[in-house]
Amino acid sequence: MSRPDLLDRLARAQAIRTRDGLLRRVRMIERADGPRIVIDGKALLNFASNDYLGLAQHPALREAMTHAVAQSGVGASAAHLLGGHRDEHAALEEKLAAWTGRERALLFSTGYMANLGAMQALLSADDICVQDKLNHASLIDGARLSGAQLKRYAHADVAVAKRQLASRPDAAALLATDGVFSMDGDVAPLRELAALCKKKHVVLMIDDAHGLGVLGTDGAGSLAEAGLSQDDAPVLMGTLGKALGVAGAFVAGSAALIDGLVQFARAYIFTTAMPPALAAAASVAVDLARAEAWRRDKLHRLIAQFREGADARGIALMPSRTPIQPVPIDNSERALRISQQMENARFYTPAIRPPSVPAGKARLRITLSASHEETDIERLLDALASALAAQRNG
Ligand SMILES: *Cc1c(COP(=O)(O)O)cnc(C)c1O
């Protein structure tokens, strides 16, 4: 037997993806002015961004970042534990803990790393990790990295989660779920999951990448909206690159949890601290997200307008009350064609295909932002209606 060649194998996998019409393509954004972007020289209205509150280009964030760069340079130049931890990081961690109603918070460079770090620090091979089937890839990867037994329950099905936990009654257990599901936009049954976890001595971990800034009083997220405290949901992961418009992430919880992560989360320990200027910008983003409730109010008005308009035009949507408003298309090639037609009509609404979503569940993942206007939504709905109708007839 001869040794298989890894690069050949990669190329074959790529060829299969191409054959199946599942190839992904990186598109370059030549210019961005809020939701107005330019791709391939064409001006498009962007309905794919996670900048839900319209903060990514806010003057106060630019100002905070440039000021911090002028003060302290660009790179943190070391890991947090080895001289990379600056006052900008410390201030942001305090702000995030206060906002989310947790004792402490710990910064990570990305949400992907925060999930990996927290799960690897908490779980080991003898444990069980129970997860929603539609969880973000980083939660799945975190469980894999930890070596714990991973069981995935049918989407939002608390009864199945309960059975899976009961299969290993003596194992230490973590139940992890997205707060808001990234490709579907619906909210997890958080209160039921919290009650189950409390009863069965299971630690509940929530990834609130899409809830933070968007849901709950002053935007504190899906847990705040559900009225769940640190005691109910001990591990909260939030990201700074979506509604907050910056980059990076954090885990919030008890002082004991954070102290433990500092010691054992390898994705925290063995990496350079995020640039302090990013932390400075994120601090201002948190202040704005909390104080400027009009951004959330406007966003939720646009969501209602989109859903009512879709209903009036006979466009089927998924049950979501968040800015993630997918239009189910099911067939991948059809989703690509509709997305292309939307682009011809000057809307950027990329098709999401397997493996990002289950087979046969392709969709346009439309996201709304406080930086959109009512007229943008009306035009989007009209374009959607004609693209869908053209595909039905053609
Ligand atoms: C985007 C996202 C992440 C990863 O966050 P990054 O900071 O972009 O790495 C994790 N979980 C969910 C649910 C996400 O949507």
Side-chain angles (χ1 to χ4, degrees), residues 46-390:
N46 188 0
F47 281 99
S49 144
N50 301 318
D51 182 20
Y52 303 126
L53 299 178
L55 292 176
Q57 297 184 316
H58 194 287
L61 270 68
R62 295 177 196 252
E63 162 71 24
M65 192 151 171
T66 33
H67 180 74
V69 166
Q71 287 277 304
S72 50
V74 178
S77 75
H80 283 280
L81 284 168
L82 295 174
H85 192 64
R86 307 277 189 87
D87 59 347
E88 288 93 341
H89 299 126
L92 176 58
E93 286 176 340
E94 266 181 43
K95 238 180 234 288
L96 290 166
W99 189 24
T100 55
R102 265 62 188 163
E103 250 180 303
R104 297 257 301 277
L106 188 72
L107 291 176
F108 285 80
S109 296
T110 70
Y112 194 106
M113 291 170 71
N115 280 338
L116 256 51
M119 295 175 92
Q120 166 267 320
L122 284 166
L123 289 165
S124 63
D126 296 334
D127 307 334
I128 180 170
C129 180
V130 170
Q131 298 203 17
D132 191 291
K133 268 235 157 80
L134 297 188
N135 273 357
H136 191 262
S138 55
L139 287 171
I140 308 293
D141 293 356
R144 287 189 183 146
L145 179 67
S146 76
Q149 182 187 16
L150 171 62
K151 289 206 182 213
R152 299 169 71 187
Y153 55 88
H155 181 49
D157 195 332
V158 182
V160 177
K162 185 176 172 186
R163 280 205 299 278
Q164 292 178 339
L165 288 167
S167 75
R168 297 275 310 278
D170 299 323
L174 181 78
L175 190 152
T177 180
D178 286 16
V180 174
F181 288 90
S182 55
M183 294 297 144
D184 291 60
D186 58 334
V187 181
L190 295 169
R191 297 176 66 90
E192 293 86 339
L193 289 170
L196 169 67
C197 287
K198 189 157 270 182
K199 196 157 152 225
K200 302 291 177 188
H201 301 287
V202 174
V203 171
L204 177 60
M205 172 169 179
I206 303 298
D207 174 338
D208 212 20
H210 298 280
L212 192 72
V214 170
L215 299 177
T217 318
D218 85 346
S222 63
L223 289 172
E225 186 191 61
L228 296 174
S229 67
Q230 171 178 300
D231 182 49
D232 302 313
V235 187
L236 164 59
M237 197 288 290
T239 62
L240 310 173
K242 284 163 181 156
L244 293 171
V246 186
F250 66 95
V251 173
S254 68
L257 170 73
I258 300 308
D259 286 341
L261 294 182
V262 169
Q263 296 304 316
F264 299 110
R266 297 168 63 88
Y268 174 80
I269 300 164
F270 296 106
T271 199
T272 302
M274 72 164 66
L278 275 186
S283 277
V284 173
V286 172
D287 291 343
L288 287 172
R290 296 189 72 168
E292 298 193 344
W294 66 263
R295 293 178 185 275
R296 242 176 326 278
D297 296 344
K298 181 177 177 194
L299 178 60
H300 289 288
R301 273 202 312 279
L302 295 176
I303 294 168
Q305 182 198 344
F306 178 76
R307 292 191 66 86
E308 282 156 26
D311 190 46
R313 290 167 178 82
I315 301 169
L317 297 179
M318 293 169 63
S320 162
R321 56 187 176 85
T322 68
I324 303 167
Q325 291 291 330
V327 179
I329 313 282
D330 300 340
N331 176 283
S332 288
E333 277 129 68
R334 192 161 166 260
L336 268 188
R337 284 198 301 273
I338 293 175
S339 174
Q340 185 56 53
Q341 206 151 349
M342 290 298 289
E343 193 166 318
N344 296 343
R346 306 273 162 161
F347 295 91
Y348 183 59
T349 56
I352 308 288
R353 297 164 289 158
S356 298
V357 292
K361 298 275 187 194
R363 65 200 62 179
L364 300 188
R365 178 180 181 269
I366 287 177
T367 53
L368 306 181
S369 163
S371 61
H372 289 128
E373 299 302 335
E374 271 172 43
T375 50
D376 297 335
I377 307 293
E378 287 306 305
R379 288 175 47 223
L380 168 73
L381 285 162
D382 289 339
L384 262 178
S386 27
L388 289 165

